[in-house]
Amino acid sequence: MVETKTIQVLIVDDHPLVRDGLKNALLITDDMELSGEASNGEAAVKHCQKRLPDVILMDIAMRGMDGIE
């Protein structure tokens, strides 16, 4: 039997409602789970230094460090 790895996803957006919507979408999948969430780029970098998510869903237009930086 082949074991499949769960995809770790980090959600980064400055709008809590968007983060909640994406988080709820992840809850209904079997092959993805939430690695964490952040409200800005700086918090996302700190999260990635502690954990290594496989995928980052990031807003590109945020105050401070945005998704492009």
Side-chain angles (χ1 to χ4, degrees):
M1 176 183 256
V2 177
E3 185 177 325
T4 59
K5 181 182 176 214
T6 303
I7 300 167
Q8 298 294 309
V9 181
L10 171 62
I11 297 172
V12 185
D13 198 292
D14 53 346
H15 296 95
L17 188 60
V18 173
R19 289 195 314 268
D20 286 344
L22 291 169
K23 185 169 37 175
N24 287 330
L26 286 177
L27 291 175
I28 62 172
T29 64
D30 292 333
D31 57 350
M32 291 187 272
E33 74 180 30
L34 186 65
S35 169
E37 56 184 286
S39 60
N40 58 51
E42 291 90 353
V45 169
K46 287 179 184 176
H47 177 86
C48 290
Q49 290 171 338
K50 294 177 185 174
R51 299 182 70 182
L52 297 173
D54 299 309
V55 175
I56 302 172
L57 297 176
M58 182 177 285
D59 185 357
I60 61 169
M62 294 182 289
R63 292 188 178 121
M65 181 186 291
D66 62 24
I68 304 239
E69 287 183 77

